[in-house]
Every structure is written in structure tokens, then in C-alpha cells.
């Protein structure tokens, strides 16, 4: 009985194969059925997928090409894949399966070795240490990142100081690329207020007078001093420094504005042209930086499932769709602007009674206001900020809870 149970469990476990270092940077998914860890709900059924480097950068061996040709033709190989779908359809779960964290299900996954693959979560991990160490993680300072970026390792005749100077220049340029150009200088100037460490001799190639260089070696709790948006940009710098063959981005730009998001993806494409990447996200603007879209929870002719199951569809993204997604978007309208200009609203704000006034006199406007406030996270409507600011004696969390509860009572 124990042997039969073990055999049954093995049959319901996803097989994950890890390629040898130096192999093709490909992720191959064959016949994937993905279940929740408790095996009570199936998230994905019969998924075939190939993520491969862009054609101009891909040079797999003949054996690897032959082994994957059938799957490429059947599913369509993507090099920049966007995974979308409603909440609960298995977007992040698919990434966990690729990483080997979730194994409940059937099918097989083949991916590159860990040192050639990098995951960027929505909330990046900032290690205890210096800014230099956080940029190079999981690599180490002096590990040749600057030399590799220049096309080769530094000559062995270079002194340690010269290698460090090259690494300093590389990391400072990397910070500029991810829109954190002033970060090292700011912390370098703060560090100058305390006794600095003994400077290196000028002949060792180190500019000891540079606040930016000093800032690279400042050690603080970066997860506490940086905003989430800054942490996400730092994670992109880490990605560019380590140069993986495959990158997995799980809501990696959720805290960035559109311009910063564009800069991150353009830097990824230009500096790592041979890197294949897959993104999970909800913003329509992400379409501009991908060539295929995997829609989870969508019924398609090839993936139609029985009642209670979810399908999927793999669709190429046309150049026209990418161009439309990259076009500047019109600023969202504020459905509460008219209400804020009505007679008596200024007096109500002055008397800290915006919420009671709106609840009494504007019940029909509450639903669009609530919808706008939830969907436009980067553009808070004046109503929400007014309520949070003027509701005396309540914390922001308490105000939001009371506001949402009242809206749903009105709606019902």
C-alpha cells in the first residue's frame, strides 16, 4: 500500500529538469496540469509553452533544437512573454512551478541552471549589507561584473584597486540606467559626516573624494530606507548586473510610474538582448514590451475544459498592439471633481464633514467614485484624500474600512 501511494504521488508530481550551465537559455513546459499544493483545485490544464532567447541571440545546439522543434511549432516560442488573467487564475502559481516551489500536478518543466535564471518578485529582497552588495547580489563584489559588461574579464595584471575602480564606474552607470543616479551620492555625503575609513592610495586607482563611490559602500537597512518603487528599480539594476539568460518578473514594476516602467524594460532589452523574460502584470502598458501573451482563465478551442476548469490561450502580440500600448494614455477623469465644486462642499470640508455630506446627498455617485479610487492607484481622487485628511480621530485604515463598508451598504 505504501509503495502504491508513493507511486501515485510521483505520478501526480510535476517533473522539473534543470539544464547544465552554459546550455540554451530556454524554459520548456510540456503538458502542464498545475494544482494548488493541497491538490483541491486545478489552476492550469494541459499547458505547452516555450520561452526562448530572441532569434537573433539564440544559438542552441543541434540536439537541443531537434528536441524542441515539435513543441516550438505546436505552441509558438516566445522570447518576451506576458502572463495575464484575473486574480486566482494561476499567474504567480505558474512562476512558482517553474521555480520548483510548487510541484502538485502533472507534466514537465525544463529550465536553465539557477545561476542563469533570475526571479524578480513584487517586493524585492534587500540583503543586509552595502549598496554595492545589493546591486551585485547574488554575485559578489569583485566578481567580474564590470568586466563582463565590457565584453570580457579584467586582465589579470590589473591591480585590485583598478578592478574596484572599474566596478565602481560600472555600478554608478547602472544606477543611472535604473533612475537611481543620486542614490549613491546622497548616502556617500551622509557617510562623510562620520569618520570615513582610510582612503586608498591614488596609485591604486580609487577616487576617494567621490561621494558617489563612498555611497556604494554605505551599509544601511535598504529595505527600510528605500521606497517600494526604489527597491524595484534596484532589483532591475541587480538583474542587469548579473546578466541571466532568463528573467522572471512577477509584478516587478507595480510601484513604478509609466515612464519608469518603460525605462526599466528598455534597459532590459537593450543591455541584455539575449535574455528571454516572462512578466506577470495587470497594466495594459506592459503589452508594449512583450511579443506573446498567455491569457489564463480564457477558454480557447485547443484548451476548452469542462465546467469548473479553466482554459488558457497563447496569443502573439502584433506590432500594432505594442505600438498602441506604448502610446501616451489620456489622464483619467475624476468623477468626483464636479461634486467637489458644488456649493457647500468647501464649507463641509472646513467643518470636517465631507463623508457625512456625500453619504447623505450623493449616494448615486458613490459607486463610480469607489471604482475610480480602486482602479487608479497612482491617481488618488480628491474625495479619498479629503476623507483621510479631515476625518478627525480616525486613522487612514479606519477611514478606508468605514468608507468601503458604507458604500457597500448603500449599494445593497
Amino acid at each position: 500500500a505504501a509503495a502504491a501511494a508513493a507511486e501515485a504521488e510521483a505520478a501526480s508530481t510535476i517533473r522539473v529538469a534543470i539544464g547544465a550551465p552554459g546550455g540554451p537559455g530556454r524554459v520548456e513546459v510540456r503538458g502542464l496540469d498545475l494544482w494548488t499544493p493541497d491538490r483541491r483545485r486545478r489552476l492550469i490544464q494541459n499547458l505547452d509553452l516555450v520561452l526562448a532567447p530572441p532569434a537573433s541571440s539564440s544559438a542552441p545546439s543541434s540536439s537541443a533544437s531537434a528536441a524542441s522543434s515539435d513543441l516550438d511549432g505546436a505552441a509558438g516560442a516566445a522570447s518576451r512573454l506576458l502572463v495575464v488573467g484575473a486574480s486566482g487564475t494561476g499567474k504567480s502559481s505558474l512562476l512558482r512551478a517553474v521555480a520548483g516551489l510548487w510541484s502538485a500536478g502533472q507534466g514537465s518543466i525544463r529550465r536553465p541552471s539557477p545561476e542563469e535564471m533570475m526571479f524578480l518578485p513584487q517586493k524585492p529582497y534587500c540583503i543586509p549589507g552595502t549598496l554595492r552588495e545589493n546591486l551585485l547580489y547574488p554575485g559578489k563584489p569583485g566578481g567580474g561584473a564590470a568586466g563582463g559588461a565590457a565584453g570580457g574579464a579584467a586582465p589579470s595584471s590589473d591591480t585590485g584597486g583598478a578592478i574596484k575602480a572599474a566596478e565602481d564606474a560600472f555600478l554608478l552607470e547602472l544606477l543611472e540606467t535604473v533612475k537611481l543616479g543620486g542614490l549613491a551620492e546622497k548616502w556617500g555625503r551622509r557617510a562623510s559626516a562620520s569618520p570615513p575609513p582610510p582612503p586608498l592610495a591614488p596609485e591604486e586607482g580609487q577616487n576617494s573624494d567621490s561621494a558617489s563611490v563612498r555611497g556604494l559602500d554605505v551599509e544601511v537597512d535598504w529595505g527600510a530606507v528605500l521606497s517600494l518603487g526604489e527597491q524595484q528599480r534596484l532589483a532591475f539594476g541587480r538583474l542587469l548586473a548579473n546578466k541571466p539568460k532568463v528573467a522572471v518578473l512577477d509584478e516587478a514594476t507595480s510601484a513604478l510610474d509609466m515612464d519608469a516602467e518603460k525605462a526599466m524594460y528598455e534597459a532590459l532589452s537593450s543591455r541584455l538582448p539575449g535574455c528571454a523574460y516572462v512578466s506577470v502584470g495587470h497594466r495594459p502598458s506592459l503589452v508594449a514590451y512583450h511579443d506573446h501573451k498567455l491569457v489564463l482563465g480564457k477558454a480557447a478551442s485547443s484548451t476548452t475544459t469542462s465546467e469548473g476548469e479553466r482554459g488558457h490561450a497563447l496569443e502573439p502580440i502584433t506590432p500594432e498592439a505594442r505600438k498602441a500600448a506604448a502610446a501616451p494614455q489620456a489622464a483619467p477623469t475624476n468623477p468626483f471633481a464636479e461634486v467637489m465644486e458644488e456649493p457647500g462642499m468647501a464649507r463641509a470640508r472646513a467643518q470636517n464633514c465631507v463623508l457625512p455630506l456625500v453619504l447623505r446627498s450623493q449616494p448615486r455617485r458613490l459607486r463610480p467614485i469607489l471604482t475610480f479610487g480602486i482602479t487608479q492607484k497612482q491617481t488618488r481622487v480628491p474625495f479619498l484624500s479629503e476623507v483621510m485628511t479631515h476625518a478627525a480621530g480616525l486613522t487612514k485604515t479606519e477611514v478606508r474600512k468605514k468608507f468601503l463598508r458604507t458604500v457597500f451598504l448603500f449599494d445593497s
Side-chain angles (χ1 to χ4, degrees):
E7 183 178 350
E9 183 176 356
S12 60
T13 299
I14 300 169
R15 302 183 304 277
V16 178
I18 300 177
R26 297 169 62 93
V27 175
E28 300 180 8
V29 177
R30 298 174 183 264
L32 178 66
D33 280 10
L34 178 62
W35 294 71
T36 55
D38 58 9
R39 303 177 188 270
R40 292 184 177 180
R41 186 165 67 100
R42 177 156 52 187
L43 300 171
I44 297 173
Q45 182 177 16
N46 196 28
L47 174 63
D48 288 327
L49 176 69
V50 173
L51 182 70
S56 59
S57 304
S58 177
S61 64
S62 58
S63 60
S65 299
S68 303
S69 59
D70 293 341
L71 186 56
D72 287 354
S79 58
R80 280 80 192 265
L81 175 67
L82 177 62
V83 182
V84 299
S87 298
T89 53
K91 302 183 298 296
S92 296
S93 302
L94 174 60
L95 304 187
R96 296 187 187 105
V98 171
L101 301 178
W102 280 22
S103 60
Q106 293 177 321
S108 64
I109 297 174
R110 183 175 182 85
R111 61 181 177 86
S113 60
E115 56 267 29
E116 295 177 333
M117 194 169 184
M118 198 163 183
F119 291 78
L120 267 64
Q122 183 177 17
K123 177 67 171 68
Y125 172 58
C126 293
I127 67 171
T130 65
L131 181 58
R132 180 191 308 275
E133 292 168 337
N134 271 276
L135 272 171
L136 295 174
Y137 178 82
K140 300 291 184 182
S156 58
S157 59
D158 285 353
T159 64
I163 295 176
K164 185 176 183 300
E167 184 176 273
D168 292 344
F170 170 70
L171 294 180
L172 291 176
E173 190 267 338
L174 206 59
L175 287 172
E176 291 285 348
T177 300
V178 297
K179 308 301 181 183
L180 291 174
L183 183 63
E185 181 180 2
K186 180 179 77 172
W187 285 97
R189 294 189 182 281
R190 291 190 181 186
S192 64
S194 58
L200 297 174
E203 61 269 21
E204 292 180 336
Q206 173 66 43
N207 181 7
S208 60
D209 296 328
S210 170
S212 297
V213 171
R214 289 198 305 271
L216 289 174
D217 295 307
V218 170
E219 185 171 344
V220 297
D221 185 355
W222 296 104
V225 302
L226 298 180
S227 68
L228 181 57
E230 290 172 323
Q231 292 178 49
Q232 290 184 346
R233 282 177 279 168
L234 182 68
F236 266 88
R238 181 182 294 169
L239 177 67
L240 299 178
N242 284 274
K243 301 181 284 294
K245 292 184 177 180
V246 175
V248 179
L249 316 174
D250 189 2
E251 299 273 11
T253 59
S254 61
L256 304 182
D257 58 39
M258 300 304 177
D259 291 337
E261 176 185 85
K262 179 181 178 181
M264 298 304 104
Y265 274 98
E266 288 183 344
L268 175 57
S269 297
S270 62
R271 295 180 68 111
L272 302 179
C275 178
Y277 60 79
V278 53
S279 304
V280 167
H282 297 280
R283 287 180 176 175
S285 58
L286 289 172
V287 170
Y289 317 114
H290 299 80
D291 57 27
H292 282 73
K293 178 169 62 175
L294 176 63
V295 185
L296 298 180
K298 177 179 180 178
S301 58
S302 60
T303 60
T304 302
T305 61
S306 59
E307 185 177 358
E309 302 293 348
R310 293 187 174 94
H312 60 266
L314 180 63
E315 307 166 351
I317 298 176
T318 63
E320 293 76 14
R322 288 196 293 270
K323 184 177 179 180
Q329 301 295 319
T333 58
N334 179 1
F336 196 64
E338 181 182 349
V339 179
M340 295 296 291
E341 300 301 324
E342 290 181 356
M345 183 57 69
R347 183 174 65 255
R349 290 202 305 271
Q351 297 174 354
N352 296 337
C353 59
V354 176
L355 182 59
L357 174 66
V358 176
L359 293 182
R360 287 197 302 268
S361 63
Q362 303 292 338
R364 293 185 179 181
R365 301 198 187 196
L366 288 175
R367 187 177 183 86
I369 293 168
L370 174 62
T371 303
F372 184 88
I374 290 178
T375 58
Q376 302 297 334
K377 295 181 180 179
Q378 303 300 324
T379 310
R380 300 294 187 187
V381 292
F383 175 77
L384 294 179
S385 60
E386 288 288 339
V387 170
M388 291 180 181
T389 303
H390 296 289
L394 295 176
T395 65
K396 291 183 178 181
T397 301
E398 291 171 333
V399 170
R400 289 183 66 85
K401 288 182 178 179
K402 289 178 179 295
F403 170 59
L404 296 179
R405 186 180 302 115
T406 306
V407 168
F408 287 123
L409 286 176
F410 257 107
D411 189 54
S412 62

